[in-house]
Amino acid sequence: MKLAASIAAAGLALAFAGSAAAQSFQKPEDAIKYRRAAFTVLGAHFGPLGAMANGRIPFDARAAAHHGEVVAVVASLPWHGFVAGSDKGDTRARGEIWSDAAKFKASSDRMQAEMQKLAAASKTGNLDNLKAAFATAGGTCKSCHDDFRRD
Amino acid sequence: MKLAASIAAAGLALAFAGSAAAQSFQKPEDAIKYRRAAFTVLGAHFGPLGAMANGRIPFDARAAAHHGEVVAVVASLPWHGFVAGSDKGDTRARGEIWSDAAKFKASSDRMQAEMQKLAAASKTGNLDNLKAAFATAGGTCKSCHDDFRRD
């Protein structure tokens, strides 16, 4: 409750970005913390899908469906945290996220689309489907990291 | 609506997630990072619902539904991060989480149930429904923090 209360007390307001209700953050640090947390959760569910796709852990259809569904929801979240002024601080975000915002949006849109396909594939109970979708989805992660994340 | 559809499907997956879909972490630190990230994301969506319920920001039915839907999915996640051995490190988790695991599970189960009710209330477009559900859900946060989180 304390965290939620502090966020509310900090004056967290709402804004619309396209069709989604987005956060707006009182401080850039809050936005950075939010997007990093969303990526952490995303990675923790994307990772096991990759481990199954690459044979590092056994394919488990039920677990795959679970991870894919979480990925499908959480993949839409971190983008709201790339607010103006959040290019400095505890972040590896490159300035190109803001200076080439159209390219960043296109990149994040591709990623989200592929994550939806990954979620769909993860529900088929078919490892080959998962392998194919994971490879493409993983490519969108790498491409965006290459362009927009510092090493 | 893509997100809503994803969440509806995720609800099905989460309903029978059980142990098969639980995370497995390489190191206790990874589990701590995961659960903290999940709570951060949760708070960032729970917070605005509280701000609406308490009149600090205007009620916005579409935003409320969005936040409630994210809360409904993410509220189920952090619990997988309370693995054995993750009582030390960058965490405020009390030892009672493990030494009184049954009580902790009951507490987290109550929280998740109330978060599902909050999500349902957030979709009604009715502020009074949101107020009532938020108060109860917030009570489950506070109760669990009082019992299981260090100040």
Side-chain angles (χ1 to χ4, degrees):
Chain A
M1 187 64 182
K2 203 170 280 180
L3 173 63
S6 68
I7 288 167
L12 196 76
L14 297 165
F16 284 105
S19 61
Q23 273 71 36
S24 77
F25 300 92
Q26 179 74 3
K27 295 176 296 182
E29 305 92 276
D30 297 338
I32 292 171
K33 185 179 179 186
Y34 172 77
R35 71 195 186 211
R36 293 190 63 167
F39 280 128
T40 293
V41 173
L42 182 62
H45 292 271
F46 187 74
L49 292 175
M52 288 186 216
N54 295 324
R56 287 194 304 275
I57 62 173
F59 178 61
D60 179 319
R62 194 171 69 166
H66 166 73
H67 292 305
E69 291 297 353
V70 177
V71 162
V73 172
V74 178
S76 71
L77 302 181
W79 318 106
H80 302 304
F82 290 96
V83 300
S86 66
D87 55 329
K88 296 176 185 66
D90 189 18
T91 180
R92 293 161 68 189
R94 288 186 189 274
E96 286 80 357
I97 288 171
W98 295 272
S99 66
D100 197 351
K103 182 178 176 186
F104 181 63
K105 183 179 187 307
S107 190
S108 70
D109 285 349
R110 269 197 303 278
M111 174 274 213
Q112 292 177 72
E114 294 304 329
M115 290 296 173
Q116 297 303 325
K117 293 180 192 171
L118 176 61
S122 77
K123 285 186 284 186
T124 63
N126 181 302
L127 179 57
D128 288 334
N129 291 344
L130 178 62
K131 285 179 179 177
F134 181 83
T136 311
T140 67
C141 300
K142 182 180 187 308
S143 163
C144 199
H145 290 170
D146 288 348
D147 290 343
F148 296 107
R149 190 176 73 165
R150 287 195 299 273
D151 290 333
Chain B
M1 191 174 169
K2 198 177 283 183
L3 178 60
S6 299
I7 288 166
L12 294 175
L14 293 169
F16 57 82
S19 59
Q23 306 305 111
S24 66
F25 299 96
Q26 297 282 353
K27 298 171 295 183
E29 304 93 275
D30 296 338
I32 292 170
K33 185 178 179 188
Y34 171 78
R35 72 194 186 212
R36 293 191 63 166
F39 281 127
T40 292
V41 173
L42 182 63
H45 292 271
F46 186 75
L49 293 175
M52 289 186 217
N54 296 324
R56 287 193 297 275
I57 62 174
F59 177 60
D60 179 316
R62 193 169 66 162
H66 166 73
H67 292 304
E69 287 171 339
V70 177
V71 162
V73 172
V74 178
S76 71
L77 301 181
W79 317 107
H80 300 304
F82 290 95
V83 299
S86 66
D87 54 330
K88 296 177 186 66
D90 189 17
T91 180
R92 294 160 70 190
R94 287 187 189 273
E96 286 80 357
I97 288 170
W98 294 272
S99 66
D100 198 351
K103 184 179 176 186
F104 182 63
K105 183 178 187 309
S107 190
S108 70
D109 285 350
R110 270 196 303 277
M111 175 273 211
Q112 293 177 72
E114 294 305 329
M115 290 296 173
Q116 297 302 325
K117 293 180 192 170
L118 176 61
S122 76
K123 285 186 278 191
T124 63
N126 182 299
L127 180 56
D128 288 334
N129 291 344
L130 177 62
K131 285 180 179 176
F134 181 83
T136 310
T140 67
C141 299
K142 183 180 186 307
S143 163
C144 199
H145 290 171
D146 287 349
D147 289 342
F148 296 108
R149 191 176 73 164
R150 287 195 299 272
D151 290 332

